[in-house]
Amino acid sequence: MNPATATGSVEFDVPEVFEAFRATDDPEEAYELVLGRLGEQAGDLGADRRRALTDLYLAGSAALGELDAIWSGTCVGSVDGRVSMATLTVTRLETADDAPQEAVAAALTELLAPVPAPADGRGPQRLVRRFEAPAGPVVVSLEQTPGWQLTGEQHVPLLSAKAHLPLPPPLPGVLIAELTTPDADHWADGYAPLLVAFLRSVRFRVPDVPTAEGRPVPPAADPFGTTLT
């Protein structure tokens, strides 16, 4: 893990494979940044793949400006001999009150409930589950979309895992961590454990609230291929 990142009353550790994001809206600069992260692996990629990774970098840059992110970074590596990339963005959604974590988690579970899959099977398909982390209940939505259209009918699908962790009273708000990757087949063994490690590291600095060590964490089945316990 990287050294803890703190913002206000929230502290967390970032997996070492992620490097802080350098935002840009210049496609050429984004392309060079991606090539710099890939290093020698860039030579193994075709033009479409490099373009897709550059588009992901540009999309991450745009999201930073829109979301006022607490932290964002990229991960570029090799899984089973194949280049793989993901972005991790952490934001805080402000809410009007300081409702109990359990109540907020229940509301989020209902709000994020999956919509029926489209008849043609080409629209977003979302899986939503609730788990227990040391800092409190987490509602995770896993969704795969068509992603970017390259040429004609060719698309680069994107997998997005978004974890919502309500802040404990008297702190209002929800901490949101989103991991996005075009390498969906690397999710279960590669990226899911990284997201879980991040969620387990979250600490809230709130007076008179038990620490993670004093909070029981019940086991839970995890359809995403990993567990929070």
Side-chain angles (χ1 to χ4, degrees), residues 163-190:
H164 303 74
L165 176 52
L167 277 66
L171 304 174
V174 179
L175 190 73
I176 302 176
E178 181 173 13
L179 191 151
T180 304
T181 178
D183 301 293
D185 52 340
H186 295 162
W187 162 252
D189 296 328

mmCIF file with all atom_site columns, all heavy atoms in Angstrom, residues 163-190:
data_model
loop_
_atom_site.group_PDB
_atom_site.id
_atom_site.type_symbol
_atom_site.label_atom_id
_atom_site.label_alt_id
_atom_site.label_comp_id
_atom_site.label_asym_id
_atom_site.label_entity_id
_atom_site.label_seq_id
_atom_site.pdbx_PDB_ins_code
_atom_site.Cartn_x
_atom_site.Cartn_y
_atom_site.Cartn_z
_atom_site.occupancy
_atom_site.B_iso_or_equiv
_atom_site.pdbx_formal_charge
_atom_site.auth_seq_id
_atom_site.auth_comp_id
_atom_site.auth_asym_id
_atom_site.auth_atom_id
_atom_site.pdbx_PDB_model_num
ATOM 1   N N   . ALA A 1 163 ? -18.074 1.441   -5.469  1.00 0.00 ? 163 ALA A N   1
ATOM 2   C CA  . ALA A 1 163 ? -18.343 1.106   -4.077  1.00 0.00 ? 163 ALA A CA  1
ATOM 3   C C   . ALA A 1 163 ? -18.784 2.355   -3.310  1.00 0.00 ? 163 ALA A C   1
ATOM 4   O O   . ALA A 1 163 ? -18.115 3.385   -3.361  1.00 0.00 ? 163 ALA A O   1
ATOM 5   C CB  . ALA A 1 163 ? -17.109 0.507   -3.424  1.00 0.00 ? 163 ALA A CB  1
ATOM 6   N N   . HIS A 1 164 ? -19.916 2.255   -2.607  1.00 0.00 ? 164 HIS A N   1
ATOM 7   C CA  . HIS A 1 164 ? -20.464 3.363   -1.830  1.00 0.00 ? 164 HIS A CA  1
ATOM 8   C C   . HIS A 1 164 ? -20.349 3.028   -0.345  1.00 0.00 ? 164 HIS A C   1
ATOM 9   O O   . HIS A 1 164 ? -20.950 2.050   0.117   1.00 0.00 ? 164 HIS A O   1
ATOM 10  C CB  . HIS A 1 164 ? -21.931 3.604   -2.168  1.00 0.00 ? 164 HIS A CB  1
ATOM 11  C CG  . HIS A 1 164 ? -22.185 3.884   -3.629  1.00 0.00 ? 164 HIS A CG  1
ATOM 12  N ND1 . HIS A 1 164 ? -22.137 2.890   -4.590  1.00 0.00 ? 164 HIS A ND1 1
ATOM 13  C CD2 . HIS A 1 164 ? -22.485 5.033   -4.277  1.00 0.00 ? 164 HIS A CD2 1
ATOM 14  C CE1 . HIS A 1 164 ? -22.411 3.419   -5.772  1.00 0.00 ? 164 HIS A CE1 1
ATOM 15  N NE2 . HIS A 1 164 ? -22.626 4.712   -5.613  1.00 0.00 ? 164 HIS A NE2 1
ATOM 16  N N   . LEU A 1 165 ? -19.618 3.830   0.396   1.00 0.00 ? 165 LEU A N   1
ATOM 17  C CA  . LEU A 1 165 ? -19.416 3.614   1.829   1.00 0.00 ? 165 LEU A CA  1
ATOM 18  C C   . LEU A 1 165 ? -19.937 4.829   2.597   1.00 0.00 ? 165 LEU A C   1
ATOM 19  O O   . LEU A 1 165 ? -19.297 5.890   2.601   1.00 0.00 ? 165 LEU A O   1
ATOM 20  C CB  . LEU A 1 165 ? -17.930 3.396   2.127   1.00 0.00 ? 165 LEU A CB  1
ATOM 21  C CG  . LEU A 1 165 ? -17.487 3.251   3.578   1.00 0.00 ? 165 LEU A CG  1
ATOM 22  C CD1 . LEU A 1 165 ? -18.301 2.188   4.295   1.00 0.00 ? 165 LEU A CD1 1
ATOM 23  C CD2 . LEU A 1 165 ? -15.998 2.918   3.654   1.00 0.00 ? 165 LEU A CD2 1
ATOM 24  N N   . PRO A 1 166 ? -21.115 4.730   3.240   1.00 0.00 ? 166 PRO A N   1
ATOM 25  C CA  . PRO A 1 166 ? -21.663 5.863   3.987   1.00 0.00 ? 166 PRO A CA  1
ATOM 26  C C   . PRO A 1 166 ? -20.747 6.281   5.135   1.00 0.00 ? 166 PRO A C   1
ATOM 27  O O   . PRO A 1 166 ? -20.160 5.427   5.810   1.00 0.00 ? 166 PRO A O   1
ATOM 28  C CB  . PRO A 1 166 ? -23.001 5.337   4.523   1.00 0.00 ? 166 PRO A CB  1
ATOM 29  C CG  . PRO A 1 166 ? -23.340 4.184   3.620   1.00 0.00 ? 166 PRO A CG  1
ATOM 30  C CD  . PRO A 1 166 ? -22.024 3.569   3.253   1.00 0.00 ? 166 PRO A CD  1
ATOM 31  N N   . LEU A 1 167 ? -20.605 7.582   5.338   1.00 0.00 ? 167 LEU A N   1
ATOM 32  C CA  . LEU A 1 167 ? -19.819 8.076   6.463   1.00 0.00 ? 167 LEU A CA  1
ATOM 33  C C   . LEU A 1 167 ? -20.634 7.935   7.743   1.00 0.00 ? 167 LEU A C   1
ATOM 34  O O   . LEU A 1 167 ? -21.870 8.084   7.732   1.00 0.00 ? 167 LEU A O   1
ATOM 35  C CB  . LEU A 1 167 ? -19.438 9.550   6.253   1.00 0.00 ? 167 LEU A CB  1
ATOM 36  C CG  . LEU A 1 167 ? -18.204 9.827   5.390   1.00 0.00 ? 167 LEU A CG  1
ATOM 37  C CD1 . LEU A 1 167 ? -18.443 9.404   3.951   1.00 0.00 ? 167 LEU A CD1 1
ATOM 38  C CD2 . LEU A 1 167 ? -17.821 11.301  5.453   1.00 0.00 ? 167 LEU A CD2 1
ATOM 39  N N   . PRO A 1 168 ? -19.980 7.662   8.870   1.00 0.00 ? 168 PRO A N   1
ATOM 40  C CA  . PRO A 1 168 ? -20.704 7.519   10.136  1.00 0.00 ? 168 PRO A CA  1
ATOM 41  C C   . PRO A 1 168 ? -21.087 8.883   10.699  1.00 0.00 ? 168 PRO A C   1
ATOM 42  O O   . PRO A 1 168 ? -20.348 9.857   10.539  1.00 0.00 ? 168 PRO A O   1
ATOM 43  C CB  . PRO A 1 168 ? -19.681 6.819   11.039  1.00 0.00 ? 168 PRO A CB  1
ATOM 44  C CG  . PRO A 1 168 ? -18.358 7.289   10.518  1.00 0.00 ? 168 PRO A CG  1
ATOM 45  C CD  . PRO A 1 168 ? -18.533 7.415   9.028   1.00 0.00 ? 168 PRO A CD  1
ATOM 46  N N   . PRO A 1 169 ? -22.257 8.992   11.356  1.00 0.00 ? 169 PRO A N   1
ATOM 47  C CA  . PRO A 1 169 ? -22.619 10.244  12.024  1.00 0.00 ? 169 PRO A CA  1
ATOM 48  C C   . PRO A 1 169 ? -21.542 10.608  13.046  1.00 0.00 ? 169 PRO A C   1
ATOM 49  O O   . PRO A 1 169 ? -20.924 9.709   13.629  1.00 0.00 ? 169 PRO A O   1
ATOM 50  C CB  . PRO A 1 169 ? -23.950 9.907   12.702  1.00 0.00 ? 169 PRO A CB  1
ATOM 51  C CG  . PRO A 1 169 ? -24.490 8.765   11.895  1.00 0.00 ? 169 PRO A CG  1
ATOM 52  C CD  . PRO A 1 169 ? -23.286 7.966   11.479  1.00 0.00 ? 169 PRO A CD  1
ATOM 53  N N   . PRO A 1 170 ? -21.292 11.887  13.244  1.00 0.00 ? 170 PRO A N   1
ATOM 54  C CA  . PRO A 1 170 ? -22.064 13.032  12.722  1.00 0.00 ? 170 PRO A CA  1
ATOM 55  C C   . PRO A 1 170 ? -21.593 13.517  11.351  1.00 0.00 ? 170 PRO A C   1
ATOM 56  O O   . PRO A 1 170 ? -21.910 14.631  10.951  1.00 0.00 ? 170 PRO A O   1
ATOM 57  C CB  . PRO A 1 170 ? -21.792 14.100  13.776  1.00 0.00 ? 170 PRO A CB  1
ATOM 58  C CG  . PRO A 1 170 ? -20.384 13.819  14.218  1.00 0.00 ? 170 PRO A CG  1
ATOM 59  C CD  . PRO A 1 170 ? -20.253 12.327  14.211  1.00 0.00 ? 170 PRO A CD  1
ATOM 60  N N   . LEU A 1 171 ? -20.844 12.714  10.609  1.00 0.00 ? 171 LEU A N   1
ATOM 61  C CA  . LEU A 1 171 ? -20.350 13.131  9.303   1.00 0.00 ? 171 LEU A CA  1
ATOM 62  C C   . LEU A 1 171 ? -21.390 12.828  8.228   1.00 0.00 ? 171 LEU A C   1
ATOM 63  O O   . LEU A 1 171 ? -21.769 11.664  8.062   1.00 0.00 ? 171 LEU A O   1
ATOM 64  C CB  . LEU A 1 171 ? -19.048 12.399  8.963   1.00 0.00 ? 171 LEU A CB  1
ATOM 65  C CG  . LEU A 1 171 ? -17.903 12.527  9.956   1.00 0.00 ? 171 LEU A CG  1
ATOM 66  C CD1 . LEU A 1 171 ? -16.743 11.623  9.534   1.00 0.00 ? 171 LEU A CD1 1
ATOM 67  C CD2 . LEU A 1 171 ? -17.440 13.971  10.046  1.00 0.00 ? 171 LEU A CD2 1
ATOM 68  N N   . PRO A 1 172 ? -21.857 13.830  7.489   1.00 0.00 ? 172 PRO A N   1
ATOM 69  C CA  . PRO A 1 172 ? -22.797 13.563  6.410   1.00 0.00 ? 172 PRO A CA  1
ATOM 70  C C   . PRO A 1 172 ? -22.045 13.205  5.127   1.00 0.00 ? 172 PRO A C   1
ATOM 71  O O   . PRO A 1 172 ? -20.948 13.697  4.885   1.00 0.00 ? 172 PRO A O   1
ATOM 72  C CB  . PRO A 1 172 ? -23.531 14.899  6.251   1.00 0.00 ? 172 PRO A CB  1
ATOM 73  C CG  . PRO A 1 172 ? -22.501 15.925  6.630   1.00 0.00 ? 172 PRO A CG  1
ATOM 74  C CD  . PRO A 1 172 ? -21.653 15.280  7.703   1.00 0.00 ? 172 PRO A CD  1
ATOM 75  N N   . GLY A 1 173 ? -22.604 12.330  4.340   1.00 0.00 ? 173 GLY A N   1
ATOM 76  C CA  . GLY A 1 173 ? -21.991 12.053  3.052   1.00 0.00 ? 173 GLY A CA  1
ATOM 77  C C   . GLY A 1 173 ? -21.716 10.577  2.818   1.00 0.00 ? 173 GLY A C   1
ATOM 78  O O   . GLY A 1 173 ? -21.883 9.730   3.703   1.00 0.00 ? 173 GLY A O   1
ATOM 79  N N   . VAL A 1 174 ? -21.272 10.282  1.593   1.00 0.00 ? 174 VAL A N   1
ATOM 80  C CA  . VAL A 1 174 ? -20.937 8.922   1.168   1.00 0.00 ? 174 VAL A CA  1
ATOM 81  C C   . VAL A 1 174 ? -19.599 8.962   0.449   1.00 0.00 ? 174 VAL A C   1
ATOM 82  O O   . VAL A 1 174 ? -19.389 9.794   -0.442  1.00 0.00 ? 174 VAL A O   1
ATOM 83  C CB  . VAL A 1 174 ? -22.012 8.353   0.214   1.00 0.00 ? 174 VAL A CB  1
ATOM 84  C CG1 . VAL A 1 174 ? -21.631 6.952   -0.245  1.00 0.00 ? 174 VAL A CG1 1
ATOM 85  C CG2 . VAL A 1 174 ? -23.387 8.344   0.885   1.00 0.00 ? 174 VAL A CG2 1
ATOM 86  N N   . LEU A 1 175 ? -18.681 8.080   0.851   1.00 0.00 ? 175 LEU A N   1
ATOM 87  C CA  . LEU A 1 175 ? -17.410 7.951   0.153   1.00 0.00 ? 175 LEU A CA  1
ATOM 88  C C   . LEU A 1 175 ? -17.618 6.986   -1.012  1.00 0.00 ? 175 LEU A C   1
ATOM 89  O O   . LEU A 1 175 ? -18.169 5.898   -0.828  1.00 0.00 ? 175 LEU A O   1
ATOM 90  C CB  . LEU A 1 175 ? -16.333 7.409   1.097   1.00 0.00 ? 175 LEU A CB  1
ATOM 91  C CG  . LEU A 1 175 ? -14.893 7.444   0.548   1.00 0.00 ? 175 LEU A CG  1
ATOM 92  C CD1 . LEU A 1 175 ? -14.377 8.876   0.524   1.00 0.00 ? 175 LEU A CD1 1
ATOM 93  C CD2 . LEU A 1 175 ? -13.980 6.566   1.395   1.00 0.00 ? 175 LEU A CD2 1
ATOM 94  N N   . ILE A 1 176 ? -17.209 7.385   -2.210  1.00 0.00 ? 176 ILE A N   1
ATOM 95  C CA  . ILE A 1 176 ? -17.406 6.562   -3.402  1.00 0.00 ? 176 ILE A CA  1
ATOM 96  C C   . ILE A 1 176 ? -16.054 6.262   -4.037  1.00 0.00 ? 176 ILE A C   1
ATOM 97  O O   . ILE A 1 176 ? -15.280 7.167   -4.333  1.00 0.00 ? 176 ILE A O   1
ATOM 98  C CB  . ILE A 1 176 ? -18.305 7.272   -4.423  1.00 0.00 ? 176 ILE A CB  1
ATOM 99  C CG1 . ILE A 1 176 ? -19.664 7.604   -3.801  1.00 0.00 ? 176 ILE A CG1 1
ATOM 100 C CG2 . ILE A 1 176 ? -18.491 6.401   -5.668  1.00 0.00 ? 176 ILE A CG2 1
ATOM 101 C CD1 . ILE A 1 176 ? -20.576 8.398   -4.715  1.00 0.00 ? 176 ILE A CD1 1
ATOM 102 N N   . ALA A 1 177 ? -15.785 4.987   -4.235  1.00 0.00 ? 177 ALA A N   1
ATOM 103 C CA  . ALA A 1 177 ? -14.561 4.554   -4.915  1.00 0.00 ? 177 ALA A CA  1
ATOM 104 C C   . ALA A 1 177 ? -14.979 3.813   -6.179  1.00 0.00 ? 177 ALA A C   1
ATOM 105 O O   . ALA A 1 177 ? -15.730 2.838   -6.109  1.00 0.00 ? 177 ALA A O   1
ATOM 106 C CB  . ALA A 1 177 ? -13.735 3.641   -4.020  1.00 0.00 ? 177 ALA A CB  1
ATOM 107 N N   . GLU A 1 178 ? -14.503 4.278   -7.333  1.00 0.00 ? 178 GLU A N   1
ATOM 108 C CA  . GLU A 1 178 ? -14.869 3.649   -8.602  1.00 0.00 ? 178 GLU A CA  1
ATOM 109 C C   . GLU A 1 178 ? -13.623 3.144   -9.314  1.00 0.00 ? 178 GLU A C   1
ATOM 110 O O   . GLU A 1 178 ? -12.693 3.904   -9.571  1.00 0.00 ? 178 GLU A O   1
ATOM 111 C CB  . GLU A 1 178 ? -15.622 4.621   -9.502  1.00 0.00 ? 178 GLU A CB  1
ATOM 112 C CG  . GLU A 1 178 ? -16.054 3.988   -10.825 1.00 0.00 ? 178 GLU A CG  1
ATOM 113 C CD  . GLU A 1 178 ? -16.945 4.880   -11.651 1.00 0.00 ? 178 GLU A CD  1
ATOM 114 O OE1 . GLU A 1 178 ? -17.044 6.073   -11.332 1.00 0.00 ? 178 GLU A OE1 1
ATOM 115 O OE2 . GLU A 1 178 ? -17.561 4.389   -12.613 1.00 0.00 ? 178 GLU A OE2 1
ATOM 116 N N   . LEU A 1 179 ? -13.634 1.860   -9.640  1.00 0.00 ? 179 LEU A N   1
ATOM 117 C CA  . LEU A 1 179 ? -12.562 1.251   -10.407 1.00 0.00 ? 179 LEU A CA  1
ATOM 118 C C   . LEU A 1 179 ? -13.123 0.901   -11.789 1.00 0.00 ? 179 LEU A C   1
ATOM 119 O O   . LEU A 1 179 ? -14.128 0.197   -11.895 1.00 0.00 ? 179 LEU A O   1
ATOM 120 C CB  . LEU A 1 179 ? -12.031 0.001   -9.710  1.00 0.00 ? 179 LEU A CB  1
ATOM 121 C CG  . LEU A 1 179 ? -10.740 -0.596  -10.274 1.00 0.00 ? 179 LEU A CG  1
ATOM 122 C CD1 . LEU A 1 179 ? -9.963  -1.305  -9.176  1.00 0.00 ? 179 LEU A CD1 1
ATOM 123 C CD2 . LEU A 1 179 ? -11.020 -1.570  -11.411 1.00 0.00 ? 179 LEU A CD2 1
ATOM 124 N N   . THR A 1 180 ? -12.474 1.418   -12.827 1.00 0.00 ? 180 THR A N   1
ATOM 125 C CA  . THR A 1 180 ? -12.932 1.195   -14.203 1.00 0.00 ? 180 THR A CA  1
ATOM 126 C C   . THR A 1 180 ? -11.805 0.584   -15.014 1.00 0.00 ? 180 THR A C   1
ATOM 127 O O   . THR A 1 180 ? -10.650 1.009   -14.897 1.00 0.00 ? 180 THR A O   1
ATOM 128 C CB  . THR A 1 180 ? -13.366 2.521   -14.849 1.00 0.00 ? 180 THR A CB  1
ATOM 129 O OG1 . THR A 1 180 ? -14.375 3.137   -14.048 1.00 0.00 ? 180 THR A OG1 1
ATOM 130 C CG2 . THR A 1 180 ? -13.927 2.280   -16.242 1.00 0.00 ? 180 THR A CG2 1
ATOM 131 N N   . THR A 1 181 ? -12.157 -0.415  -15.838 1.00 0.00 ? 181 THR A N   1
ATOM 132 C CA  . THR A 1 181 ? -11.138 -1.068  -16.663 1.00 0.00 ? 181 THR A CA  1
ATOM 133 C C   . THR A 1 181 ? -11.751 -1.582  -17.955 1.00 0.00 ? 181 THR A C   1
ATOM 134 O O   . THR A 1 181 ? -12.918 -2.020  -17.971 1.00 0.00 ? 181 THR A O   1
ATOM 135 C CB  . THR A 1 181 ? -10.487 -2.247  -15.910 1.00 0.00 ? 181 THR A CB  1
ATOM 136 O OG1 . THR A 1 181 ? -9.538  -2.890  -16.772 1.00 0.00 ? 181 THR A OG1 1
ATOM 137 C CG2 . THR A 1 181 ? -11.522 -3.261  -15.464 1.00 0.00 ? 181 THR A CG2 1
ATOM 138 N N   . PRO A 1 182 ? -11.004 -1.541  -19.052 1.00 0.00 ? 182 PRO A N   1
ATOM 139 C CA  . PRO A 1 182 ? -11.461 -2.190  -20.287 1.00 0.00 ? 182 PRO A CA  1
ATOM 140 C C   . PRO A 1 182 ? -11.106 -3.679  -20.304 1.00 0.00 ? 182 PRO A C   1
ATOM 141 O O   . PRO A 1 182 ? -11.455 -4.376  -21.249 1.00 0.00 ? 182 PRO A O   1
ATOM 142 C CB  . PRO A 1 182 ? -10.688 -1.428  -21.368 1.00 0.00 ? 182 PRO A CB  1
ATOM 143 C CG  . PRO A 1 182 ? -9.420  -1.035  -20.698 1.00 0.00 ? 182 PRO A CG  1
ATOM 144 C CD  . PRO A 1 182 ? -9.774  -0.752  -19.265 1.00 0.00 ? 182 PRO A CD  1
ATOM 145 N N   . ASP A 1 183 ? -10.437 -4.136  -19.258 1.00 0.00 ? 183 ASP A N   1
ATOM 146 C CA  . ASP A 1 183 ? -9.983  -5.531  -19.183 1.00 0.00 ? 183 ASP A CA  1
ATOM 147 C C   . ASP A 1 183 ? -10.856 -6.306  -18.200 1.00 0.00 ? 183 ASP A C   1
ATOM 148 O O   . ASP A 1 183 ? -10.420 -6.682  -17.110 1.00 0.00 ? 183 ASP A O   1
ATOM 149 C CB  . ASP A 1 183 ? -8.512  -5.571  -18.766 1.00 0.00 ? 183 ASP A CB  1
ATOM 150 C CG  . ASP A 1 183 ? -7.635  -4.819  -19.754 1.00 0.00 ? 183 ASP A CG  1
ATOM 151 O OD1 . ASP A 1 183 ? -7.509  -5.289  -20.897 1.00 0.00 ? 183 ASP A OD1 1
ATOM 152 O OD2 . ASP A 1 183 ? -7.107  -3.754  -19.391 1.00 0.00 ? 183 ASP A OD2 1
ATOM 153 N N   . ALA A 1 184 ? -12.112 -6.548  -18.619 1.00 0.00 ? 184 ALA A N   1
ATOM 154 C CA  . ALA A 1 184 ? -13.089 -7.176  -17.729 1.00 0.00 ? 184 ALA A CA  1
ATOM 155 C C   . ALA A 1 184 ? -12.654 -8.563  -17.274 1.00 0.00 ? 184 ALA A C   1
ATOM 156 O O   . ALA A 1 184 ? -12.968 -8.984  -16.148 1.00 0.00 ? 184 ALA A O   1
ATOM 157 C CB  . ALA A 1 184 ? -14.448 -7.249  -18.420 1.00 0.00 ? 184 ALA A CB  1
ATOM 158 N N   . ASP A 1 185 ? -11.930 -9.282  -18.123 1.00 0.00 ? 185 ASP A N   1
ATOM 159 C CA  . ASP A 1 185 ? -11.529 -10.633 -17.742 1.00 0.00 ? 185 ASP A CA  1
ATOM 160 C C   . ASP A 1 185 ? -10.447 -10.648 -16.669 1.00 0.00 ? 185 ASP A C   1
ATOM 161 O O   . ASP A 1 185 ? -10.101 -11.704 -16.144 1.00 0.00 ? 185 ASP A O   1
ATOM 162 C CB  . ASP A 1 185 ? -11.072 -11.425 -18.967 1.00 0.00 ? 185 ASP A CB  1
ATOM 163 C CG  . ASP A 1 185 ? -10.023 -10.698 -19.793 1.00 0.00 ? 185 ASP A CG  1
ATOM 164 O OD1 . ASP A 1 185 ? -9.918  -9.463  -19.657 1.00 0.00 ? 185 ASP A OD1 1
ATOM 165 O OD2 . ASP A 1 185 ? -9.319  -11.355 -20.576 1.00 0.00 ? 185 ASP A OD2 1
ATOM 166 N N   . HIS A 1 186 ? -9.908  -9.493  -16.332 1.00 0.00 ? 186 HIS A N   1
ATOM 167 C CA  . HIS A 1 186 ? -8.911  -9.407  -15.260 1.00 0.00 ? 186 HIS A CA  1
ATOM 168 C C   . HIS A 1 186 ? -9.537  -8.967  -13.935 1.00 0.00 ? 186 HIS A C   1
ATOM 169 O O   . HIS A 1 186 ? -8.825  -8.738  -12.961 1.00 0.00 ? 186 HIS A O   1
ATOM 170 C CB  . HIS A 1 186 ? -7.806  -8.414  -15.647 1.00 0.00 ? 186 HIS A CB  1
ATOM 171 C CG  . HIS A 1 186 ? -7.010  -8.855  -16.832 1.00 0.00 ? 186 HIS A CG  1
ATOM 172 N ND1 . HIS A 1 186 ? -6.221  -7.998  -17.569 1.00 0.00 ? 186 HIS A ND1 1
ATOM 173 C CD2 . HIS A 1 186 ? -6.880  -10.085 -17.410 1.00 0.00 ? 186 HIS A CD2 1
ATOM 174 C CE1 . HIS A 1 186 ? -5.654  -8.667  -18.555 1.00 0.00 ? 186 HIS A CE1 1
ATOM 175 N NE2 . HIS A 1 186 ? -6.028  -9.923  -18.479 1.00 0.00 ? 186 HIS A NE2 1
ATOM 176 N N   . TRP A 1 187 ? -10.868 -8.824  -13.899 1.00 0.00 ? 187 TRP A N   1
ATOM 177 C CA  . TRP A 1 187 ? -11.532 -8.297  -12.712 1.00 0.00 ? 187 TRP A CA  1
ATOM 178 C C   . TRP A 1 187 ? -11.365 -9.208  -11.496 1.00 0.00 ? 187 TRP A C   1
ATOM 179 O O   . TRP A 1 187 ? -10.846 -8.772  -10.457 1.00 0.00 ? 187 TRP A O   1
ATOM 180 C CB  . TRP A 1 187 ? -13.018 -8.072  -12.995 1.00 0.00 ? 187 TRP A CB  1
ATOM 181 C CG  . TRP A 1 187 ? -13.849 -7.941  -11.767 1.00 0.00 ? 187 TRP A CG  1
ATOM 182 C CD1 . TRP A 1 187 ? -14.738 -8.858  -11.270 1.00 0.00 ? 187 TRP A CD1 1
ATOM 183 C CD2 . TRP A 1 187 ? -13.858 -6.853  -10.826 1.00 0.00 ? 187 TRP A CD2 1
ATOM 184 N NE1 . TRP A 1 187 ? -15.295 -8.407  -10.107 1.00 0.00 ? 187 TRP A NE1 1
ATOM 185 C CE2 . TRP A 1 187 ? -14.774 -7.190  -9.819  1.00 0.00 ? 187 TRP A CE2 1
ATOM 186 C CE3 . TRP A 1 187 ? -13.177 -5.644  -10.760 1.00 0.00 ? 187 TRP A CE3 1
ATOM 187 C CZ2 . TRP A 1 187 ? -15.031 -6.343  -8.741  1.00 0.00 ? 187 TRP A CZ2 1
ATOM 188 C CZ3 . TRP A 1 187 ? -13.432 -4.799  -9.679  1.00 0.00 ? 187 TRP A CZ3 1
ATOM 189 C CH2 . TRP A 1 187 ? -14.354 -5.147  -8.692  1.00 0.00 ? 187 TRP A CH2 1
ATOM 190 N N   . ALA A 1 188 ? -11.816 -10.453 -11.624 1.00 0.00 ? 188 ALA A N   1
ATOM 191 C CA  . ALA A 1 188 ? -11.898 -11.315 -10.443 1.00 0.00 ? 188 ALA A CA  1
ATOM 192 C C   . ALA A 1 188 ? -10.551 -11.540 -9.768  1.00 0.00 ? 188 ALA A C   1
ATOM 193 O O   . ALA A 1 188 ? -10.427 -11.423 -8.546  1.00 0.00 ? 188 ALA A O   1
ATOM 194 C CB  . ALA A 1 188 ? -12.526 -12.656 -10.825 1.00 0.00 ? 188 ALA A CB  1
ATOM 195 N N   . ASP A 1 189 ? -9.525  -11.849 -10.544 1.00 0.00 ? 189 ASP A N   1
ATOM 196 C CA  . ASP A 1 189 ? -8.222  -12.187 -9.961  1.00 0.00 ? 189 ASP A CA  1
ATOM 197 C C   . ASP A 1 189 ? -7.282  -10.996 -9.839  1.00 0.00 ? 189 ASP A C   1
ATOM 198 O O   . ASP A 1 189 ? -6.314  -11.053 -9.073  1.00 0.00 ? 189 ASP A O   1
ATOM 199 C CB  . ASP A 1 189 ? -7.536  -13.267 -10.804 1.00 0.00 ? 189 ASP A CB  1
ATOM 200 C CG  . ASP A 1 189 ? -8.304  -14.573 -10.791 1.00 0.00 ? 189 ASP A CG  1
ATOM 201 O OD1 . ASP A 1 189 ? -8.946  -14.871 -9.775  1.00 0.00 ? 189 ASP A OD1 1
ATOM 202 O OD2 . ASP A 1 189 ? -8.279  -15.290 -11.812 1.00 0.00 ? 189 ASP A OD2 1
ATOM 203 N N   . GLY A 1 190 ? -7.551  -9.923  -10.585 1.00 0.00 ? 190 GLY A N   1
ATOM 204 C CA  . GLY A 1 190 ? -6.643  -8.788  -10.578 1.00 0.00 ? 190 GLY A CA  1
ATOM 205 C C   . GLY A 1 190 ? -7.163  -7.564  -9.855  1.00 0.00 ? 190 GLY A C   1
ATOM 206 O O   . GLY A 1 190 ? -6.579  -7.114  -8.868  1.00 0.00 ? 190 GLY A O   1
#
